[in-house]
Amino acid sequence: HCPQFRKLIEAEKLKINVEECVYVGDSETDAIAAKLAGMRSIIYSKKQSTTADFNTSSFGALPEIIKSL
């Protein structure tokens, strides 16, 4: 199973440009898959990701982070 490939297929089905997508995940693997798919990523976790574009442990902060992109 290749998560970045699945994300690309889903974006293509919706006719969405992956460069305009933001993937919200909870692990370093999610951040890596998003990057490989050409998407920006936000990791929602107490653990910091070195690959993600943003890290947060606050669900309430997600809308503002997404707006800032």
Side-chain angles (χ1 to χ4, degrees):
H1 143 323
C2 184
Q4 65 272 20
F5 183 69
R6 189 181 78 239
K7 289 173 185 54
L8 284 170
I9 297 296
E10 290 168 1
E12 286 177 3
K13 283 182 185 176
L14 296 172
K15 299 184 190 291
I16 297 171
N17 186 346
V18 293
E19 289 84 19
E20 297 174 2
C21 294
V22 177
Y23 183 78
V24 179
D26 63 359
S27 70
E28 186 70 20
T29 304
D30 290 333
I32 292 168
K35 184 176 285 291
L36 290 172
M39 299 178 185
R40 289 173 284 181
S41 63
I42 302 169
I43 296 303
Y44 172 63
S45 176
K46 292 185 189 285
K47 295 180 181 179
Q48 294 290 303
S49 164
T50 57
T51 306
D53 296 294
F54 290 93
N55 291 279
T56 186
S57 60
S58 169
F59 187 76
L62 288 173
E64 288 303 315
I65 293 170
I66 292 168
K67 284 180 191 177
S68 75
L69 300 172

